[in-house]
Amino acid sequence: MPWFRGNWALAGEPLVNSAEAILYNAAFIEAARTAFSASAIRPKTVVVNVNGPMPAGAPHVDVPSFRGAARDHFPLRFLLAMGASELFARWQVTEAGAISWFYEGLGGGFDYWPDGRDGPMLCEQSPFGNVAIIADNDRMYHRIGRIGDADAVLPKMTKAAVVHPSDAGDWIVTEDGETRTTYAKSVMRLSILWKAEIITEDRPTEAENALHLDRIMEIFKSDLRAKRIQHEEPADPFTDDAWITLLEGTYLRSFAR
Amino acid sequence: MRHVARPIRIEPAFEDREYVRSLFDRHAPYPTMAAYIPNEI
């Protein structure tokens, strides 16, 4: 899939020149304050996506993080199950996400479900102007709409490929020194994702910050017992596929669209 | 249902949109998304 990414700022630190101008974008910060009734905003992340023609992505929520449980130490599927279960809401780190696009081609809209998966889908469509949507993308379902023609041929490439612009303005996908494909500038969808931690007046107490694996498992198992769902103690809750699959089957509903 | 902040549309998103667009060229090349995903179940 021709989906490429760059990290311009992580953990509040700019990684490339001029990233701080985006990290501290006043319009994003003010919108986050309003949307989330925040007392403080901590900009954390600026990532960019460069997408060639490709099918629509799956509706999804972003991987959540919790005080004491984040992707640096916890598997992504485990974190997604924690979020979907709603058992760990008071530990969840709330993040505002702003997305903006540079694309005037066919499709490539930003589809989102502000009223939940059973509500109507809204779409911010190409041609994109100087706009962004800010939302709680850890809780709001969203996806990239199909980009380009439905019969677009996907390039033959592995995850080792990279994309870069040419002097002529095209975008070239290369791997092992070979050109895999060349895209005209007009068919490449560029986007920026900004994320910031939201601080509200009702932040958790220090005691509630103490989320660790034993407590997470205690909470999960208690809920499974209450639901009368049989389960076996996993040897390693992070790598036991049966355990992870049980959590996903219990808490993650499929998106019926 | 958990409370989810209502999305807000921001316009204008950037003071200088063309400058932001130019950063994409400046900071290339870009690896695939798959290259960032850790190997896990």
Side-chain angles (χ1 to χ4, degrees):
Chain A
M1 203 74 75
W3 188 341
F4 304 87
R5 168 158 289 187
N7 291 328
W8 287 2
L10 294 175
E13 294 297 324
L15 301 178
V16 300
N17 290 337
S18 304
E20 63 278 357
I22 301 172
L23 192 60
Y24 299 109
N25 180 304
F28 291 175
I29 290 172
E30 186 54 36
R33 199 185 307 277
T34 300
F36 291 82
S37 301
S39 58
I41 309 288
R42 291 182 187 153
K44 296 281 192 182
T45 306
V46 178
V47 300
V48 298
N49 293 303
V50 178
N51 296 80
M54 53 181 267
H60 66 280
V61 294
D62 291 350
V63 178
S65 59
F66 306 84
R67 290 180 178 78
R71 62 170 68 201
D72 52 350
H73 289 105
F74 281 64
L76 304 187
R77 288 172 69 190
F78 194 97
L79 291 170
L80 282 168
M82 286 178 66
S85 74
E86 301 189 18
L87 298 170
F88 306 95
R90 68 179 189 264
W91 289 276
Q92 187 163 346
V93 175
T94 297
E95 286 196 314
I99 312 176
S100 188
W101 311 269
F102 301 81
Y103 179 65
E104 297 181 358
L106 181 65
F110 174 68
D111 300 337
Y112 59 108
W113 286 263
D115 295 316
R117 73 183 83 211
D118 297 322
M121 183 189 85
L122 303 184
C123 179
E124 190 70 32
Q125 300 183 43
S126 167
F128 294 102
N130 191 4
V131 300
I133 297 284
I134 195 161
D136 185 348
N137 292 324
D138 291 353
R139 294 183 174 91
M140 184 184 76
Y141 278 87
H142 56 281
R143 71 171 179 190
I144 300 176
R146 177 177 52 79
I147 301 171
D149 292 324
D151 56 357
V153 176
L154 299 179
K156 287 183 170 42
M157 61 182 225
T158 74
K159 67 180 184 180
V162 296
V163 72
H164 58 91
S166 71
D167 292 338
D170 299 331
W171 285 85
I172 304 173
V173 178
T174 59
E175 184 172 348
D176 294 332
E178 296 183 356
T179 295
R180 294 287 187 238
T181 195
T182 299
Y183 289 114
K185 182 179 179 179
S186 61
V187 306
M188 294 301 277
R189 179 184 186 274
L190 313 181
S191 60
I192 287 180
L193 171 62
W194 172 94
K195 296 200 102 166
E197 183 179 349
I198 300 299
I199 310 298
T200 57
E201 292 295 333
D202 60 342
R203 61 188 305 176
T205 63
E206 285 305 309
E208 289 180 318
N209 283 337
L211 189 58
H212 48 80
L213 183 58
D214 286 346
R215 188 164 186 192
I216 294 169
M217 290 297 290
E218 177 189 314
I219 292 170
F220 265 140
K221 288 189 289 185
S222 174
D223 190 66
L224 291 173
R225 283 194 296 271
K227 287 176 163 59
R228 303 188 185 280
I229 295 174
Q230 290 196 336
H231 55 279
E232 297 195 3
E233 184 74 28
D236 182 339
F238 285 173
T239 60
D240 187 315
D241 192 57
W243 169 251
I244 298 288
T245 301
L246 174 70
L247 294 181
E248 291 174 334
T250 303
Y251 299 115
L252 269 70
R253 284 171 47 199
S254 61
F255 200 99
R257 288 278 162 174
Chain B
M1 181 180 170
R2 291 176 295 170
H3 171 70
V4 178
R6 298 296 300 178
I8 291 178
R9 192 171 186 273
I10 306 167
E11 188 169 18
F14 303 106
E15 287 187 4
D16 189 341
R17 187 168 184 257
E18 288 307 308
Y19 174 72
V20 175
R21 171 59 185 89
S22 74
L23 297 178
F24 280 85
D25 291 353
R26 193 187 308 179
H27 297 311
Y30 299 100
T32 62
M33 184 71 162
Y36 288 92
I37 298 172
N39 294 325
E40 63 177 54
I41 60 169

